[in-house]
Amino acid sequence: MAAADPNAASAPPSDSTNHGQRVVGAWLLLSAIATPLVAIFVGHLIPPGNDSTQGTGQVFDNTLMLTVITPVICLLAVFFFYGLRSFRATSDPVVDGPPLRNDARIQILWIVCTSVIVLFLAGFGTYELLQNGSGGGQGPNPIAVPGGPKFQVQVVAQQWEFTYRYPSLGGLESNQLYLPADTDVELHVTSLDAIHSFWAYELGVKADANPGVDNVVFVKTKGPGMFHVRCAELCGLWHGYMFNNGRVVEPAQFHAWASQQQKLYAAIKPFMDKPEADGGAPYSKTYFPAPDRRAG
Ligand SMILES: [Cu+2]
């Protein structure tokens, strides 16, 4: 009787087994099942939600990206578990498997697939950004400007709270962000001191707040609702407390709120309008740059 080959136990189950075909078959099957399930049941769970047009756009983008990467994850999972099952060394001592040889077909396929995915996502991302800015700050000269009239609000960050200034309401200032529903809003984000970041989570808005910079971001509100505002840039000792809530309300309710705020604001307005040198608040009237002057 011939002596047993010590390598036999670690060799593939059979030389004639086409592992590549098996892996690809299992991968295609798993992808065909998992991809639509992920697209239908998981994608819409990704934040930020549907409280603004930009938020809905981000959910769509996230769903699409998740759908695109699902087959990639399936391939990794199939290959991992197939390898564990079929190529596990069971001999003692453990010996090397057969040497790997270059496979031009696999290399070309890999390069083509990854290039196509990355280039597609780059093109798609650029297209989506150009629609309306996707809720991101675009700096002082935005490229993606939605058409039609826009309601302007200036967002002024400082250590450690946000102040909202409404140029169309006589420069009214509030520490709560109220916005009318179903309205195109143009936010001008800036800072008085350190660097901050204005993050209105459910609206899908995030924009850097830097001193001396007018960072413009567009958002179209949907129905009434509440949203959270947080500073998203480490800005000092109380950064973690730099948050509050904002509201999207029906236009009639917004006007009621505005006139009530204007009455309250009238009492302190003279003080707010005083130059800083005369004891006025440092954020009185010369935010840089002033959107109310641009709006005319
Ligand atoms: Cu901050």
Side-chain angles (χ1 to χ4, degrees), residues 144-225:
V145 181
K150 286 168 276 292
F151 182 73
Q152 286 190 332
V153 182
Q154 190 176 30
V155 178
V156 185
Q158 63 182 316
Q159 289 171 322
W160 286 276
E161 67 175 341
F162 290 104
T163 303
Y164 308 101
R165 187 164 180 254
Y166 296 81
S168 61
L169 302 174
L172 168 72
E173 293 182 5
S174 171
N175 61 0
Q176 260 222 314
L177 180 55
Y178 267 62
L179 294 172
D182 298 310
T183 302
D184 272 305
V185 180
E186 178 180 327
L187 299 167
H188 291 252
V189 183
T190 190
S191 167
L192 298 180
D193 41 44
I195 56 171
H196 303 269
S197 179
F198 173 70
W199 184 24
Y201 177 83
E202 288 85 350
L203 296 184
V205 168
K206 196 181 221 180
D208 288 339
N210 294 333
V213 176
D214 178 29
N215 194 9
V216 181
V217 49
F218 299 98
V219 60
K220 180 164 192 189
T221 57
K222 289 189 171 179

Side-chain angles (χ1 to χ4, degrees), residues 16-253:
S16 62
T17 307
N18 190 333
H19 294 293
Q21 213 168 45
R22 284 183 172 190
V23 167
V24 169
W27 169 52
L28 290 177
L29 182 66
L30 184 64
S31 298
I33 296 168
T35 305
L37 291 179
V38 164
I40 294 167
F41 295 111
V42 184
H44 70 276
L45 300 177
I46 304 177
N50 295 296
D51 286 2
S52 72
T53 300
Q54 283 72 7
T56 300
Q58 289 170 26
V59 170
F60 174 75
D61 297 347
N62 291 336
T63 303
L64 186 121
M65 282 192 283
L66 194 68
T67 306
V68 168
I69 65 166
T70 299
V72 179
I73 293 170
C74 287
L75 177 60
L76 295 178
V78 164
F79 196 78
F80 180 73
F81 287 108
Y82 189 89
L84 268 184
R85 180 183 159 278
S86 300
F87 304 131
R88 189 174 63 237
T90 52
S91 66
D92 192 21
V94 174
V95 291
D96 275 351
L100 289 171
R101 308 276 181 218
N102 289 342
D103 187 321
R105 286 176 311 171
I106 290 179
Q107 288 175 336
I108 290 172
L109 194 65
W110 184 262
I111 291 169
V112 168
C113 286
T114 50
S115 301
V116 166
I117 290 173
V118 169
L119 290 175
F120 164 74
L121 288 176
F124 173 74
T126 306
Y127 171 79
E128 289 289 275
L129 273 174
L130 287 174
Q131 297 301 300
N132 53 27
S134 297
Q138 299 187 58
N141 301 302
I143 296 173
V145 181
K150 286 168 276 292
F151 182 73
Q152 286 190 332
V153 182
Q154 190 176 30
V155 178
V156 185
Q158 63 182 316
Q159 289 171 322
W160 286 276
E161 67 175 341
F162 290 104
T163 303
Y164 308 101
R165 187 164 180 254
Y166 296 81
S168 61
L169 302 174
L172 168 72
E173 293 182 5
S174 171
N175 61 0
Q176 260 222 314
L177 180 55
Y178 267 62
L179 294 172
D182 298 310
T183 302
D184 272 305
V185 180
E186 178 180 327
L187 299 167
H188 291 252
V189 183
T190 190
S191 167
L192 298 180
D193 41 44
I195 56 171
H196 303 269
S197 179
F198 173 70
W199 184 24
Y201 177 83
E202 288 85 350
L203 296 184
V205 168
K206 196 181 221 180
D208 288 339
N210 294 333
V213 176
D214 178 29
N215 194 9
V216 181
V217 49
F218 299 98
V219 60
K220 180 164 192 189
T221 57
K222 289 189 171 179
M226 195 269 287
F227 58 90
H228 294 95
V229 173
R230 289 182 183 281
C231 179
E233 182 69 59
L234 187 57
C235 61
L237 187 59
W238 302 116
H239 162 70
Y241 289 88
M242 195 165 163
F243 64 89
N244 68 358
N245 297 332
R247 282 187 186 285
V248 175
V249 295
E250 294 292 356
Q253 200 183 341

